Amino acid sequence: MHLFGKKKAAAPTTSDSITKLKETLEMLEKREKHLEKKIENELQIAKKNAQKNKKLALNALKRKKMYESQVDKIMGTRATIETQVLAIENASVNVEAMNAMKMGADAMKNIHGQMDIDKVDDTMDDIR
């Protein structure tokens, strides 16, 4: 029985997290390309109207600046997500390496567990 809050959801798997982060990166890339096109369009509008309609050109430059700030934010977010993906992948590799080392250590214990000092002495006596 939970008195406060809801039951916590299960933690996502490593592969699910990486997949979701990569999907988010793709979405941000598309958004960035879209904004780059808008920036180029606003720049063209500003250039066309620089002499005829300065107010329209100024507004186009303001929109261009706004789009550029959004692109900067997206670039920062992408960098953060890419760092997170690398950290998750490195952690996963570390866990796999630790599991392999543990298996190796267990195998060594098993091998050494079958040997005792008396068996070694008997074998050495047989050899001599």
Side-chain angles (χ1 to χ4, degrees), residues 17-62:
S17 296
I18 290 173
T19 302
K20 180 64 177 168
L21 288 170
K22 287 185 177 181
E23 286 173 1
T24 303
L25 278 173
E26 288 176 18
M27 183 268 305
L28 289 172
E29 241 176 82
K30 289 177 185 177
R31 177 78 176 142
E32 187 177 345
K33 286 178 183 177
H34 175 71
L35 288 172
E36 291 290 345
K37 288 178 184 176
K38 282 187 162 192
I39 288 169
E40 187 60 35
N41 187 37
E42 294 299 332
L43 187 60
Q44 294 300 323
I45 291 171
K47 283 181 181 179
K48 285 180 187 176
N49 295 296
Q51 299 298 322
K52 298 181 276 181
N53 190 347
K54 290 191 185 233
K55 189 173 185 179
L56 183 64
L58 192 60
N59 284 334
L61 289 174
K62 286 179 182 178

Side-chain angles (χ1 to χ4, degrees), residues 2-109:
H2 295 284
L3 296 177
F4 299 103
K6 296 179 180 178
K7 186 177 179 181
K8 292 184 179 179
T13 64
T14 302
S15 60
D16 289 344
S17 296
I18 290 173
T19 302
K20 180 64 177 168
L21 288 170
K22 287 185 177 181
E23 286 173 1
T24 303
L25 278 173
E26 288 176 18
M27 183 268 305
L28 289 172
E29 241 176 82
K30 289 177 185 177
R31 177 78 176 142
E32 187 177 345
K33 286 178 183 177
H34 175 71
L35 288 172
E36 291 290 345
K37 288 178 184 176
K38 282 187 162 192
I39 288 169
E40 187 60 35
N41 187 37
E42 294 299 332
L43 187 60
Q44 294 300 323
I45 291 171
K47 283 181 181 179
K48 285 180 187 176
N49 295 296
Q51 299 298 322
K52 298 181 276 181
N53 190 347
K54 290 191 185 233
K55 189 173 185 179
L56 183 64
L58 192 60
N59 284 334
L61 289 174
K62 286 179 182 178
R63 285 190 301 271
K64 176 184 166 281
K65 190 170 185 173
M66 179 185 65
Y67 293 146
E68 286 172 339
S69 71
Q70 286 182 346
V71 167
D72 288 342
K73 288 178 187 176
I74 288 172
M75 289 172 71
T77 303
R78 283 181 55 200
T80 302
I81 290 174
E82 288 169 354
T83 303
Q84 207 170 24
V85 167
L86 285 174
I88 291 170
E89 287 173 344
N90 286 336
S92 180
V93 167
N94 290 342
V95 166
E96 290 298 320
M98 287 301 297
N99 288 341
M101 286 190 277
K102 185 178 183 322
M103 287 178 65
D106 290 344
M108 291 295 286
K109 282 181 188 175

